[in-house]
Amino acid sequence: MTVFLIVVNIAVLLLIAGSLYYLQKKKVSFSKRVFTALAAGIIWGLILQFIYEPSSSVLTHSTDWYSIIGGGYVKFLQMAVMPLVFVSILSAFTKLKLTNNVGKISGSVIGILIGTTAIAAAIGIAAALSFNLEAVQISNGSAEAARAAELQTTFETVKDKTLPQQVLDLLPANPFLDFTGARPTSTIAVVIFAAILGVAYLGVKRKQEEHAALFASFVDAIHSIVMRVVTLILRLTPYGVLALMTKTVALSNLDAIAKLGEFVVASYVALALMFVIHLLFIAFSGLNPLTYIRKAIPVLSFAFTSRTSAGALPLNISTQKSLGVPEGIANFAGSFGLTIGQNGCAGIYPAMLAVMIAPSVGVNPLTPSFILSLIVIVAISSFGIAGVGGGATFAALLVLSSMNLPVALAGLLISVEPLIDMGRTALNVSGAMTAGILTSKARKELDTSVYHSPVHELE
């Protein structure tokens, strides 16, 4: 009977996937198919929740099979991340239009990312204070205790590192090792390595144009191949979103979410407010924020369901280009956004945790010195946070330890962590795209005709 039910559950998901393929054949837009997959995943996940217990072996095995589609899609995207980051940064340097402006463009992107992260931290602080959130309000069960022990173990590996040592960890001692993603800071190390090669290219271009031209041609060829691989993977997005959302909803602990509902609501209020800030920045730059929302829905939906900013990078860059951002700037914003100034994971989340934990050790989170110090530390600590699973935890460890707060208490939200992480990841991606748009507009390189054009279709 168990095997039969598993087969039925798999068949239902495949039937829904077949419906999405039918919509593709009927030329239904990519955005609508992604949104349909998102809704279908939520509905089917809730149905599975209603039929089975979260710990049911039938549900566990069914969602394990779902992972072939959802997890496989994420793995394909992660496969393309390091090559895409590397070749995207190099390609930005080889574009003639950018050669004289690389420093200003990268500085603008990084400045916007850090600035918005500081704003996100302030919003996180305000949300935690407004909802009167405190860590002592949360019950400490076996799962929370296990998570606390895990965080403490992780903290032991980084607590003795000084700020200069942490900066050194960002540098690529062995770029080939970093291409494997072996370190938490591998992504930013690859970015730095690519930037160094790009600067070297500019130097060669001034003295040996024929060698530079050959190198640029090689980079463009590799970039075209990588982007083609990315396009092939992105066409699987509706199916990946369907499987990922179904699994997430089906396995969510609704009882724990209900008990910690106030914390979930406060987190999403903060995330929503920061997203509104992104829209206000876009509106103040003279662009229609509704157009941004319409074109950003596919990438934000994927980031929401997959919980990986790095996996969303290909779609991030593609969406920026559909918004009129030049390819070079889109490459910079998307790549830097993986490791610097993540508004959700490195901004709102650690700030809220710090405010919640502070009263447990006798610190008043309302004091101006605490608030100002926290915002500054959050902004600085946002450098080098990997856009993969665990990035928010690493950011929290850095911020809490810098504020002399107990890191183990960060484990109290383990039961609702996946639900909150979905919104955080979507906000991270939105922050990177906003940085690309604002930088392009400020540099007068944004193609407004493309920005206001119909929704971009990958096919």
Side-chain angles (χ1 to χ4, degrees):
M1 186 65 178
T2 298
V3 174
F4 174 75
L5 292 175
I6 294 172
V7 171
V8 170
N9 292 339
I10 296 172
V12 171
L13 187 79
L14 292 177
L15 183 63
I16 300 173
S19 301
L20 293 173
Y21 181 73
Y22 176 78
L23 293 178
Q24 179 181 346
K25 287 298 183 182
K26 288 296 183 180
K27 307 299 182 182
V28 175
S29 72
F30 181 77
S31 301
K32 290 179 180 178
R33 284 187 283 119
V34 171
F35 200 71
T36 300
L38 180 64
I42 293 173
I43 293 172
W44 179 230
L46 288 174
I47 292 174
L48 291 174
Q49 272 268 1
F50 179 77
I51 297 175
Y52 306 100
E53 292 292 328
S55 59
S56 165
S57 62
V58 173
L59 186 58
T60 301
H61 285 90
S62 298
T63 53
D64 195 30
W65 281 99
Y66 291 176
S67 295
I68 294 178
I69 299 176
Y73 175 54
V74 172
K75 283 185 177 295
F76 277 134
L77 281 167
Q78 291 174 334
M79 171 192 74
V81 166
M82 286 302 187
L84 181 59
V85 168
F86 179 71
V87 77
S88 295
I89 295 295
L90 265 184
S91 180
F93 279 91
T94 59
K95 304 297 181 184
L96 181 62
K97 192 174 182 180
L98 293 178
T99 53
N100 296 323
N101 301 312
V102 168
K104 294 179 180 178
I105 289 172
S106 58
S108 176
V109 168
I110 293 174
I112 292 172
L113 288 171
I114 297 301
T116 53
T117 299
I119 295 173
I123 290 176
I125 293 170
L129 292 175
S130 299
F131 281 81
N132 195 28
L133 301 181
E134 293 186 10
V136 294
Q137 300 170 349
I138 308 175
S139 58
N140 192 350
S142 58
E144 287 77 13
R147 178 61 169 170
E150 179 186 342
L151 291 176
Q152 190 63 43
T153 300
T154 303
F155 174 64
E156 294 296 327
T157 64
V158 299
K159 69 173 184 177
D160 294 328
K161 288 189 176 182
T162 64
L163 181 59
Q165 290 173 331
Q166 293 176 22
V167 172
L168 283 176
D169 282 343
L170 304 178
L171 302 180
N174 184 349
F176 299 102
L177 177 65
D178 288 319
F179 270 110
T180 68
R183 304 186 300 145
T185 56
S186 285
T187 306
I188 195 169
V190 169
V191 169
I192 294 171
F193 178 58
I196 291 172
L197 288 182
V199 172
Y201 160 80
L202 296 180
V204 171
K205 185 178 180 181
R206 287 193 293 268
K207 298 179 179 179
Q208 297 172 297
E209 287 193 20
E210 65 281 4
H211 291 170
L214 180 62
F215 179 78
S217 177
F218 173 75
V219 170
D220 287 344
I222 297 297
H223 186 260
S224 297
I225 296 296
V226 171
M227 288 307 297
R228 182 57 183 169
V229 170
V230 167
T231 300
L232 293 174
I233 296 171
L234 290 184
R235 289 179 178 175
L236 302 174
T237 298
Y239 312 103
V241 167
L242 168 66
L244 289 166
M245 180 52 73
T246 300
K247 181 177 180 179
T248 299
V249 174
L251 296 180
S252 294
N253 188 333
L254 297 184
D255 291 335
I257 292 173
K259 292 177 182 177
L260 294 173
E262 189 175 15
F263 297 92
V264 176
V265 170
S267 296
Y268 272 90
V269 166
L271 293 169
L273 286 175
M274 192 59 213
F275 183 67
V276 170
I277 296 295
H278 291 168
L279 299 181
L280 288 175
F281 279 138
I282 291 172
F284 290 154
S285 68
L287 300 170
N288 187 345
L290 296 180
T291 301
Y292 169 78
I293 294 175
R294 189 168 64 251
K295 292 189 176 184
I297 282 177
V299 63
L300 296 182
S301 298
F302 170 73
F304 185 83
T305 52
S306 67
R307 297 167 52 199
T308 165
S309 301
L313 176 62
L315 195 53
N316 180 334
I317 293 175
S318 176
T319 302
Q320 287 190 65
K321 290 164 64 178
S322 76
L323 288 163
V325 178
E327 185 175 345
I329 296 178
N331 293 340
F332 272 125
S335 301
F336 287 156
L338 294 183
T339 55
I340 299 172
Q342 292 189 344
N343 291 181
C345 290
I348 288 176
Y349 181 65
M352 289 187 70
L353 276 181
V355 172
M356 291 167 56
I357 292 173
S360 66
V361 291
V363 176
N364 183 3
L366 290 172
T367 59
S369 59
F370 175 86
I371 293 174
L372 182 60
S373 298
L374 180 57
I375 292 174
V376 172
I377 288 174
V378 166
I380 294 175
S381 299
S382 69
F383 277 85
I385 302 302
V388 293
T393 299
F394 189 62
L397 290 177
L398 292 178
V399 171
L400 294 177
S401 61
S402 298
M403 297 292 294
N404 295 317
L405 298 174
V407 298
L409 290 179
L412 293 177
L413 295 177
I414 181 63
S415 58
V416 294
E417 179 71 15
L419 180 60
I420 297 174
D421 192 43
M422 295 165 74
R424 290 194 312 238
T425 306
L427 186 67
N428 294 342
V429 174
S430 178
M433 292 194 297
T434 300
I437 293 171
L438 296 180
T439 297
S440 302
K441 195 68 168 63
R443 302 293 306 171
K444 295 182 171 52
E445 294 189 34
L446 184 76
D447 190 333
T448 54
S449 63
V450 174
Y451 183 92
H452 295 294
S453 66
V455 176
H456 174 63
E457 286 298 317
L458 291 172
E459 292 81 1

